[in-house]
Amino acid sequence: MQLAGGLTVALAVIGGLGATGAIAAPGTPNGPRYTAGAPGAGDVYFPYSGNGGYDVQHYDLDVTYTPPAAEPAPLVGQFDGTATIDLVATQDLDRFNLDLRGMAVNSVTVNGKPAKAVAPPAAGAVVDGAAYWRVQNDEERRWELTVQPRPKLKSGQSVQVVVEYGGPTTRPLDIEDALYGWVTTRDGAMVVSEPDGSMTWYPVSDHQTDKASYSFAITVPEGKTAVANGVQPKPEETAGGWTTWYWDAPDQQASYLTTASVGDFDLRDPYLSSSGVPIIDAVDTKLSPARLATTNASLARQVDMLDFFESRFGPYPFSAFGAIVDNDTVGYALETQTRPVYSSQARQGTVAHELAHQWFGDAVSPERWQDIWLNEGWATYATWMWVEADGGTPVQESYNDWYASEDADAEYWDLQIGDPGPLGLFQEPVYDRGAGTLHALRVELGDEAFFAGTRLWLERFDDSAGTAEDFQAVFEEVSGRDLDAFFQTWLYEQAKPPATWTMP
């Protein structure tokens, strides 16, 4: 991220994972003991985001969306459709949860068998038969759809769940009261979901430790364009005043990186990077001439940026790249996987930042939200590197200017970027001190070890997630150094680090 801003779901469980050691039930020593899947992924910052007891393999989202009418009509859209999600039980399950915020649920089936809607049961109460219920608690940020399948699920079992849901769309807010999720605009929707906003538009295990592949069929009024992640597996189809746009994202993807933005876009012809990556750009037809000129100049550098980052970090990790540039704004850009979303215009530095995120944050995600500096510090530092390579300010000078900045007061240095708290995820030090941490590490270890560690980090944790401790271990491995003191100083000390890494 860079700061500036009725649906039917079929949930299919495919493949198989090894058993996770079910506990025998009393009186049946060799039998399974069925338990409820956890209502969260274990993230301290967002305890009810994500879920336990299963592993999602694929989401197939079939959406029908009607944008708001022209002013002075209310800024409210209508959302309906179908999604299919493939997952595998990782424990013997009596019930499991999906994250879903706001929308009404009309029906649920499990392996084709319907479940009945019931009120949330009291703790310890027994619910007979296949059933589902909702908990919507804004104060606790707990938005759960609980599904009780019958028969119960065994570890390793493949399951298909179909959820019908839908309703009006508005403009949801994240924990910091910033717009996120399915953000309704007058001409469509901007869909940007970091950190836990995907649940505002589809049932999901909404945490980056449960990545999956995605496919989309997005039906909108004729004349509107819908743009999602990945590539178009086939052309759009128009009938009866509606157009369906198809997108396929076969790579592993964290839920917060999904998009299905709708608007008045010029969907430009794909072109290739030097290494053959398809680049697909969608630019709002209503950008002002000045913003369109800035956007076009910035997007024209995407091939050069890809070449440069591949030379430093290794091959681009996904099936495509590109941009969605919306005339509306949420106040920030977001690194939605393969196709970042930009508010109002795309500036060159922001494009470099979001492209770098495809390696740092998208291919390798933070296992805990407290480690977001691994996303934002890297994207900021990679932008410093791009500016230097493009003939601009040298990286060391960017570091020195940041370190000496008069804007970095005591409060700035007080933030622990290794644990900034849920309200500190997007504070300036997470970005700049994160970049400073990486440059200081580079100076400390030298270029050979630093870039060897960088590539090992990306290779070892590709398509998954890692922690700051994992990151430290990788660099200790390649350097043969104990880096405890270094990372304690840079990530957790509530003071300005010593000037050891500043050139005279």
Side-chain angles (χ1 to χ4, degrees):
M1 178 187 286
Q2 184 154 13
L3 300 181
L7 173 69
T8 304
V9 176
L11 188 70
V13 185
I14 62 172
L17 298 179
T20 57
I23 302 171
T28 55
N30 297 318
R33 178 178 178 182
Y34 295 93
T35 56
D43 197 304
V44 174
Y45 286 9
F46 301 97
Y48 293 110
S49 291
N51 298 285
Y54 62 87
D55 178 30
V56 177
Q57 306 294 295
H58 182 74
Y59 294 90
D60 180 41
L61 304 177
D62 187 346
V63 169
T64 297
Y65 178 62
T66 305
E71 291 184 293
L75 192 58
V76 177
Q78 179 62 40
F79 192 92
D80 299 282
T82 301
T84 302
I85 310 165
D86 303 328
L87 59 83
V88 175
T90 57
Q91 68 186 64
D92 295 318
L93 284 172
D94 174 75
R95 63 186 63 164
F96 61 90
N97 288 3
L98 293 165
D99 303 311
L100 183 61
R101 176 180 172 181
M103 293 195 180
V105 174
N106 300 319
S107 69
V108 176
T109 65
V110 180
N111 285 341
K113 298 179 180 180
K116 63 182 179 181
V118 300
V126 175
V127 177
D128 293 330
Y132 69 90
W133 56 89
R134 302 286 302 282
V135 172
Q136 298 286 287
N137 188 320
D138 292 350
E139 184 176 351
E140 294 183 358
R141 298 188 63 80
R142 183 181 183 185
W143 301 292
E144 302 285 348
L145 166 61
T146 300
V147 179
Q148 177 174 285
R150 291 296 181 268
K152 301 175 184 180
L153 307 182
K154 293 183 179 180
S155 180
Q157 182 179 348
S158 299
V159 182
Q160 185 176 77
V161 180
V162 178
V163 182
E164 294 187 357
Y165 71 101
T169 66
T170 55
R171 294 168 68 84
L173 302 176
D174 69 8
I175 195 170
E176 296 184 73
D177 290 332
L179 289 168
Y180 83 149
W182 189 279
V183 179
T184 304
T185 61
R186 186 60 65 181
D187 67 347
M190 290 185 72
V191 184
V192 285
S193 296
E194 189 177 21
D196 61 347
S198 287
M199 69 176 77
T200 66
W201 63 284
Y202 65 98
V204 58
S205 183
D206 208 356
H207 195 267
Q208 58 275 14
T209 51
D210 192 359
K211 295 186 176 184
S213 57
Y214 284 77
S215 53
F216 307 82
I218 309 162
T219 301
V220 292
E222 184 176 358
K224 297 295 180 182
T225 301
V227 189
N229 311 88
V231 297
Q232 288 185 280
K234 62 179 181 179
E236 65 275 11
E237 298 173 346
T238 299
W242 295 85
T243 301
T244 301
W245 298 83
Y246 301 97
W247 295 90
D248 183 46
D251 306 298
Q252 292 294 292
Q253 181 169 290
S255 56
Y256 79 89
L257 299 170
T258 57
T259 188
S261 291
V262 176
D264 298 324
F265 296 116
D266 171 19
L267 184 61
R268 299 175 176 179
D269 291 337
Y271 57 100
L272 298 179
S273 74
S274 301
S275 61
V277 177
I279 301 174
I280 305 168
D281 298 325
V283 178
D284 200 308
T285 59
K286 302 184 297 300
L287 292 186
S288 69
R291 288 178 173 177
L292 180 60
T294 296
T295 294
N296 286 340
S298 302
L299 298 184
R301 303 304 308 278
Q302 289 178 120
V303 169
D304 296 331
M305 292 175 186
L306 268 163
D307 289 347
F308 173 69
F309 288 145
E310 286 187 319
S311 74
R312 296 298 187 271
F313 308 140
Y316 179 75
F318 303 125
S319 62
F321 187 60
I324 302 171
V325 186
D326 202 305
N327 185 54
D328 289 291
T329 181
V330 291
Y332 56 87
L334 183 64
E335 61 273 16
T336 44
Q337 192 161 300
T338 71
R339 194 142 302 109
V341 176
Y342 301 91
S343 291
S344 300
Q345 63 182 329
R347 298 181 183 274
Q348 184 180 153
T350 309
V351 173
H353 183 102
E354 306 308 340
L355 173 54
H357 267 310
Q358 304 303 304
W359 284 269
F360 302 101
D362 293 13
V364 181
S365 301
E367 187 172 312
R368 311 165 302 202
W369 278 112
Q370 75 176 68
D371 292 321
I372 193 173
W373 76 273
L374 287 168
N375 289 19
E376 302 303 346
W378 260 116
T380 303
Y381 189 59
T383 304
W384 291 0
M385 293 170 60
W386 160 253
V387 170
E388 178 183 65
D390 198 42
T393 306
V395 168
Q396 183 65 54
E397 187 175 332
S398 293
Y399 173 91
N400 292 348
D401 289 346
W402 159 75
Y403 186 85
S405 173
E406 294 181 358
D407 295 332
D409 55 17
E411 184 178 355
Y412 176 97
W413 298 110
D414 192 54
L415 184 73
Q416 296 177 312
I417 66 167
D419 193 3
L423 296 179
L425 293 175
F426 306 114
Q427 294 298 306
E428 184 178 349
V430 172
Y431 294 70
D432 296 337
R433 186 170 176 172
T437 299
L438 293 165
H439 185 68
L441 182 63
R442 180 179 176 182
V443 171
E444 181 78 9
L445 301 182
D447 275 13
E448 182 177 355
F450 177 77
F451 285 107
T454 298
R455 286 178 178 257
L456 180 59
W457 167 254
L458 292 169
E459 292 166 2
R460 182 168 292 174
F461 293 93
D462 185 34
D463 287 338
S464 62
T467 65
E469 291 80 8
D470 295 326
F471 187 78
Q472 177 179 333
V474 164
F475 282 85
E476 289 181 336
E477 180 179 334
V478 299
S479 67
R481 298 269 302 275
D482 182 336
L483 297 173
D484 278 349
F486 175 89
F487 282 101
Q488 176 64 32
T489 296
W490 279 93
L491 300 185
Y492 304 108
E493 292 297 326
Q494 294 176 283
K496 188 175 184 176
T500 307
W501 301 274
T502 305
M503 297 291 286

